[in-house]
Amino acid sequence: MPFALLLFSLGVIAVSFAPQLPPLWSLVFLFPLFVACWRWRTMRHCLAISLGLAWGIAVGHSLLAMQLDDDLAGKDLIVTGHIQGLPERDDRRLRFNLRVNSAVTAAGQAIPVEHFPAKLQLSWYLYQRKGSLSDLPALAIGDEWQLRVRLKRPRGFVNPAGFDYHAWLLRQGIGATGYVIDHRNNHHLNSGDDYFNLDDWINQQRYQLQQWIVARSKSSERGILIALLIGDSALVDKSQWARMQQTGTSHLIAISGLHVGFLAIFGFYVGLSLGKCVQLVWHRCPALMIAWCSAILCASFYSALAGFNIPTVRTLIMLVVFYLACLGRRSINIADIFCLALALVVVLDPLAALDMGFWLSFGAVALLLIYFSGRLVPKQTAEPWSGYSVANLIVGFIRSQWAMFIGLLVPLSVLVSCVSLVAPVANGIAIPLITFLVVPLLLVSAATRNLLGDTSDFLLSGAGWLMEILKIFLEGLLAVGGAWSSPVVAFSPTLALLIALSCCVLLLPKGLFPRVLGWCGLLLGVGLGIVIDPPNQPDLKLKILDVGQGSAFVVQVGEKTLVYDTGPKYTDDFNAGSGIVAPYLYAQGINHINRLVVSHGDMDHAGGLTGLLEKIAVEHLFAGEPEKIPPEVANTIESQSCHQASEWQWQKVRFQFLQFAQATGTSANNHSCVLLISYAGQHILLPGDIETSVENQLLRNQNLPEKLNVLLAAHHGSRTSSGAGFVNKMQPEVVIYSAGYRSQHGHPHRQVRQRYQAVGSRELNTAYSGAILFEWDQGSLHLVREYRQSNRRYWFD
């Protein structure tokens, strides 16, 4: 049974990584397999994996069908629906989900609900009205609104080591994203009190708890307190996230399976006490039955507070299966529980495997099961769940942290390219502190907030005080460890395999293999990964990252790295520098940048600068508009104007900023850094946002080569750039547009595209190609890779 469940789960997971979905009619071929399995039971494992594939395919088609029709994208629509989930508010916008009841076009034509997404993600911005900004409305969960909106199909950036936002939207059931248009038709229809919806009721309770902590807690760690209580990490700031990630304790910020398990134990003993009281009047009532039911209820309650995320769902399923087996007086193997939980999670969320938490959650549990199963522990009694001494518990906890650190070494290096070396020590303090002190204080404080106000506030202050102590401890730990606290690692497949095998030897029981083999293999693998450069590196690598309407490029020459532009800032919490550029560099094993170029001060080029510097160290900064570099950046990093910089060479590659006269009063675009990269007679030009006047000046100055091999279209392909004279003279072999999908600016412009097509240039656009990789080696271009094609998923348009 466990093996069949495992095969079923693998079948579902395989579909989530498929580039294309087979047609639905292909499922009819499963019928002969059913008949064969009925006749020959030895084929049941083939049936299990086939059923997993069938479920993944069927749900995949359902997910694709729920997306907005292309014909409705970009058009004004009038929708009515109920506010769902926890709205997110900042200084300039309000983001929320809307469960759709009806939809009509602006002309009044009704759209069948079955042909329209059931859930929308909308943003409501501050609008300018008669010289002043309008106010954002107060949206309550469950309220019904009529809104005039403009929508688009779900879509995300596609980058190596990047977050798949498109898949995340599909997992949330969101079929379209968009924004509310300022219009008189926008108005509130009905209050959420007029009807009952369980999901809305749960979110209303979560929202009330969130606002209660915001209002009553004065702790600097209140964002983490909210995350621990209701699983909402929207108010955890970037510095707190960074501290927890560097110490390996970020799994504790949101409600984890550990907390759900703790509450189940608490519910068990509360139920056991209640059952013994019931037995005083009803002797035949089993106290254990009440205890098991109480444990299930408490675990379910806390999982609902977390919004049923993957770690809590996994823990809840395992606990429910275990306690139901107890209620039915059945014996069940822990491996059966684990595999059943895995199968149920992928049934409920077939794209769960795209979530890093899925692998870390189930991987951690599998590690603990493998490490502790079959181990003999001396204890005082023969009872299964009693007789353990305090020393047994402490030793077991220390060994569990050791197993987690060793066992997750390779998975963490693959998934996040970063391993916290202080994690065992940090978790040794943080886990018991948060699980046994902070979380209980939060729960009791929340439960008594309306009955015992002063006592509740005292308990909430106590939880905040404990988190402040933990903050001081973790910051001290990072200060002692320095840069080695959380090194960036990117092992080659061979070294990753060597390290993984060595970790297995260390985790297996004594006597199977000599432990010295594990230690030697681990030290050898890590040492080689640090000392030896990855083999078969090209002479020159250029990566154009997919950042939407903006630009960010990474140039690698051996161990040297240059980053040209840092992409836009999307929101106060997300920018291309920290969210796209830094993860890519980490995946390449790069923890510092030798040269950083900010072409000019426009936010689509410089918006990610601060975010990138929070993640990656920079040796030297070149800027097209040095006066626009934030003072805190200019004072800490050696910087200069790119218009006064000399050329330099890394190995066989030469870098040169092309100089031109900068007229006063010109636009910021014409202050852009124009970088020419030359290798073996081939030339790459990164011109920023220069306009036609600067292009003509460069032609007159004869600073440009005879021909370009790769050209980044200036100003994302705007018609103010890429003049006819420039295009006809350069005739680039490949022209790249770094532009947003269906950008409101209309980039690249039709006339610009026609000019490049006329000279035979190959056109690539990040909006349709995703990230684009070029590699040169041995004097020629060896590789061009478009990530929307090479890493295609079936939901990509």
Side-chain angles (χ1 to χ4, degrees):
M1 185 66 175
F3 189 58
L5 290 171
L6 184 61
L7 290 176
F8 172 84
S9 304
L10 291 177
V12 179
I13 292 171
V15 175
S16 66
F17 290 95
Q20 295 286 349
L21 278 180
L24 277 175
W25 58 261
S26 64
L27 299 181
V28 300
F29 292 108
L30 284 178
F31 181 73
L33 185 61
F34 279 113
V35 176
C37 292
W38 183 268
R39 178 66 178 84
W40 297 287
R41 292 179 57 84
T42 54
M43 294 185 62
R44 63 183 182 274
H45 290 147
C46 296
L47 178 63
I49 196 168
S50 299
L51 287 175
L53 293 170
W55 179 256
I57 293 169
V59 175
H61 281 282
S62 175
L63 292 175
L64 295 181
M66 78 178 188
Q67 297 181 105
L68 181 73
D69 194 303
D70 260 335
D71 295 337
L72 299 175
K75 297 181 179 179
D76 286 10
L77 305 172
I78 301 173
V79 299
T80 62
H82 291 87
I83 307 300
Q84 190 179 43
L86 302 182
E88 299 178 14
R89 181 187 294 264
D90 58 30
D91 294 335
R92 64 185 186 92
R93 73 163 185 174
L94 179 66
R95 190 168 74 170
F96 59 96
N97 293 338
L98 186 77
R99 188 172 56 251
V100 176
N101 297 333
S102 65
V104 298
T105 63
Q109 181 181 0
I111 303 173
V113 177
E114 60 272 15
H115 297 153
F116 197 79
K119 187 192 294 188
L120 309 176
Q121 184 186 81
L122 299 173
S123 294
W124 197 325
Y125 294 93
L126 289 171
Y127 294 102
Q128 195 80 22
R129 290 181 182 172
K130 297 179 180 179
S132 62
L133 291 175
S134 62
D135 294 327
L136 292 174
L139 300 182
I141 299 170
D143 284 1
E144 186 177 16
W145 279 75
Q146 175 179 290
L147 301 171
R148 191 181 186 96
V149 300
R150 193 168 294 163
L151 305 174
K152 62 181 180 180
R153 290 168 66 90
R155 193 176 182 88
F157 306 130
V158 179
N159 292 290
F163 175 67
D164 194 335
Y165 183 61
H166 191 166
W168 182 87
L169 290 172
L170 294 180
R171 293 177 58 205
Q172 308 304 310
I174 295 171
T177 62
Y179 59 93
V180 178
I181 300 172
D182 190 27
H183 198 273
R184 63 179 181 276
N185 287 343
N186 299 333
H187 63 276
H188 179 239
L189 296 176
N190 295 301
S191 170
D193 299 331
D194 298 337
Y195 86 114
F196 177 79
N197 180 281
L198 179 60
D199 183 59
D200 289 344
W201 181 83
I202 291 174
N203 283 318
Q204 286 170 1
Q205 308 311 306
R206 298 176 69 211
Y207 181 75
Q208 291 175 10
L209 290 171
Q210 179 200 66
Q211 295 304 305
W212 165 69
I213 293 182
V214 169
R216 308 300 297 183
S217 176
K218 306 301 180 185
S219 172
S220 63
E221 303 295 286
R222 68 181 181 182
I224 296 181
L225 295 179
I226 292 171
L228 290 171
L229 184 61
I230 65 170
D232 176 38
S233 57
L235 297 181
V236 179
D237 64 41
K238 292 183 289 186
S239 62
Q240 292 170 331
W241 271 116
R243 181 177 69 241
M244 303 294 270
Q245 288 170 349
Q246 290 169 3
T247 55
T249 55
S250 57
H251 62 97
L252 295 172
I253 291 183
I255 297 177
S256 70
L258 183 65
H259 303 150
V260 177
F262 169 77
L263 203 67
I265 294 174
F266 172 78
F268 175 84
Y269 284 106
V270 169
L272 186 63
S273 301
L274 179 62
K276 290 181 178 179
C277 294
V278 171
Q279 282 184 330
L280 296 176
V281 294
W282 184 16
H283 302 291
R284 299 186 62 184
C285 177
L288 281 175
M289 184 172 293
I290 296 178
W292 294 325
C293 292
S294 175
I296 293 174
L297 288 175
C298 287
S300 301
F301 166 76
Y302 203 37
S303 297
L305 282 182
F308 293 109
N309 58 38
I310 287 179
T312 58
V313 169
R314 183 259 305 159
T315 307
L316 180 61
I317 291 173
M318 296 181 74
L319 288 170
V320 169
V321 171
F322 172 75
Y323 285 123
L324 287 178
C326 293
L327 284 169
R329 301 183 185 278
R330 302 286 184 181
S331 176
I332 187 168
N333 193 299
I334 190 66
D336 294 350
I337 298 176
F338 176 85
C339 293
L340 181 59
L342 177 63
L344 289 177
V345 165
V346 297
V347 165
L348 297 173
D349 184 2
L351 299 183
L354 299 170
D355 190 332
M356 179 179 63
F358 172 86
W359 298 101
L360 296 180
S361 177
F362 279 100
V365 174
L367 271 173
L368 294 177
L369 292 178
I370 293 171
Y371 186 72
F372 286 104
S373 294
R375 306 271 177 156
L376 296 178
V377 178
K379 48 181 210 165
Q380 299 171 359
T381 68
E383 293 296 325
W385 301 100
S386 63
Y388 296 102
S389 65
V390 175
N392 291 148
L393 297 177
I394 293 175
V395 170
F397 177 72
I398 294 173
R399 295 175 76 180
S400 70
Q401 293 306 305
W402 160 251
M404 296 281 282
F405 175 72
I406 291 295
L408 295 179
L409 186 63
V410 172
L412 285 172
S413 69
V414 172
L415 294 173
V416 297
S417 304
C418 189
V419 175
S420 176
L421 300 181
V422 299
V425 178
N427 280 294
I429 301 298
I431 288 177
L433 181 70
I434 291 178
T435 303
F436 300 115
L437 291 177
V438 176
V439 170
L441 285 175
L442 279 174
L443 290 172
V444 175
S445 177
T448 60
R449 69 186 189 279
N450 295 325
L451 299 175
L452 306 171
D454 292 339
T455 303
S456 174
D457 290 347
F458 176 76
L459 296 176
L460 181 61
S461 299
W465 180 70
L466 290 172
M467 289 306 303
E468 297 279 358
I469 293 176
L470 181 61
K471 169 188 173 182
I472 295 172
F473 170 75
L474 295 180
E475 289 179 344
L477 205 58
L478 291 175
V480 172
W484 287 99
S485 299
S486 183
V488 175
V489 291
F491 299 119
S492 67
T494 304
L495 290 181
L497 178 61
L498 173 62
I499 295 171
L501 293 175
S502 302
C503 291
C504 288
V505 171
L506 292 175
L507 293 175
L508 289 173
K510 292 180 179 180
L512 292 178
F513 295 97
R515 291 292 176 91
V516 67
L517 290 179
W519 283 114
C520 290
L522 180 61
L523 294 175
L524 178 63
V526 173
L528 291 177
I530 295 174
V531 175
I532 297 180
D533 295 332
N536 303 322
Q537 287 295 300
D539 291 341
L540 172 62
K541 183 189 293 187
L542 171 65
K543 175 62 65 67
I544 298 94
L545 296 173
D546 180 12
V547 296
Q549 187 64 32
S551 62
F553 314 100
V554 179
V555 182
Q556 295 172 253
V557 180
E559 295 182 352
K560 301 291 187 178
T561 303
L562 178 144
V563 173
Y564 184 96
D565 282 343
T566 59
K569 177 181 178 180
Y570 308 102
T571 67
D572 291 339
D573 298 321
F574 181 62
N575 61 78
S578 61
I580 297 177
V581 181
Y584 170 72
L585 294 176
Y586 283 172
Q588 300 295 307
I590 299 171
N591 60 6
H592 75 285
I593 298 170
N594 301 97
R595 300 284 191 274
L596 173 61
V597 181
V598 179
S599 64
H600 62 298
D602 285 0
M603 291 307 293
D604 57 339
H605 295 255
L609 174 61
T610 304
L612 179 62
L613 295 178
E614 290 173 353
K615 299 275 189 177
I616 302 285
V618 173
E619 292 181 10
H620 200 101
L621 172 65
F622 296 99
E625 296 181 287
E627 67 278 5
K628 292 186 179 180
I629 298 297
E632 62 273 14
V633 173
N635 294 335
T636 55
I637 300 175
E638 182 183 355
S639 58
Q640 71 177 104
S641 170
C642 63
H643 303 296
Q644 301 171 357
S646 303
E647 65 178 65
W648 73 94
Q649 185 156 337
W650 288 340
Q651 298 180 13
K652 303 175 183 178
V653 183
R654 183 167 62 92
F655 297 83
Q656 179 186 6
F657 288 111
L658 302 185
Q659 307 302 328
F660 53 90
Q662 300 175 61
T664 57
T666 59
S667 68
N669 292 338
N670 288 326
H671 289 270
S672 296
C673 301
V674 180
L675 180 62
L676 178 66
I677 305 172
S678 303
Y679 164 76
Q682 302 182 62
H683 304 284
I684 305 151
L685 186 67
L686 306 179
D689 278 357
I690 61 171
E691 297 173 347
T692 306
S693 59
V694 176
E695 292 175 346
N696 293 334
Q697 188 179 156
L698 292 173
L699 289 174
R700 289 194 301 270
N701 295 343
Q702 297 183 348
N703 289 338
L704 293 167
E706 290 296 322
K707 188 175 181 180
L708 293 174
N709 298 89
V710 177
L711 169 67
L712 169 69
H715 202 184
H716 320 287
S718 167
R719 64 177 176 177
T720 61
S721 306
S722 298
F726 178 83
V727 173
N728 292 331
K729 174 65 176 176
M730 292 295 96
Q731 297 187 8
E733 294 178 10
V734 180
V735 61
I736 303 163
Y737 307 109
S738 182
Y741 178 71
R742 291 189 173 181
S743 166
Q744 60 180 340
H745 305 289
H747 296 157
H749 195 271
R750 177 175 54 84
Q751 294 177 356
V752 171
R753 293 196 60 196
Q754 289 174 349
R755 289 170 190 160
Y756 284 113
Q757 290 168 0
V759 298
S761 298
R762 176 186 176 185
E763 297 178 292
L764 295 175
N765 191 336
T766 57
Y768 302 97
S769 300
I772 305 170
L773 171 66
F774 292 86
E775 288 187 358
W776 286 266
D777 197 23
Q778 298 179 359
S780 61
L781 178 62
H782 277 201
L783 178 67
V784 179
R785 177 181 297 168
E786 302 172 65
Y787 271 75
R788 275 194 178 270
Q789 301 303 321
S790 62
N791 290 51
R792 181 173 176 79
R793 299 290 181 262
Y794 66 77
W795 51 87
F796 289 175
D797 293 334

